[in-house]
Amino acid sequence: MMPLSMVGAGEENTIQRIGGNEETRRFLETLGFVVGGKVTVVSQTEGNLIVNIKESRVAIGKDMANKIMV
């Protein structure tokens, strides 16, 4: 298991765990980041990520990406 921020572009991964406080987990869940979901990193710039999740593209910061374990 490793944080989403360390995954290479183009690799599809399965979300294993989501860390952070309740508010953070709820926010990520509304974006589609749920345990068992598939996520693919599209690009990474200065630690910020653009990912495909549930057929949508979402931009997240490095701090949020570090809370998503794949």
Side-chain angles (χ1 to χ4, degrees):
M1 223 172 15
M2 64 181 165
L4 185 60
S5 59
M6 298 192 67
V7 172
E11 297 177 35
E12 183 177 70
N13 290 277
T14 303
I15 298 171
Q16 304 293 326
R17 186 171 61 83
I18 299 176
N21 60 30
E22 182 63 32
E23 183 179 339
T24 302
R25 288 193 307 267
R26 204 171 325 123
F27 172 72
L28 289 170
E29 187 177 312
T30 62
L31 292 176
F33 294 94
V34 293
V35 173
K38 301 288 185 191
V39 61
T40 304
V41 175
V42 175
S43 67
Q44 185 171 1
T45 307
E46 297 177 18
N48 299 317
L49 303 173
I50 297 176
V51 298
N52 275 340
I53 183 96
K54 294 192 174 182
E55 300 177 18
S56 297
R57 283 196 176 185
V58 178
I60 58 172
K62 186 175 185 175
D63 57 335
M64 287 291 183
N66 284 331
K67 293 175 177 25
I68 302 168
M69 302 300 284
V70 296

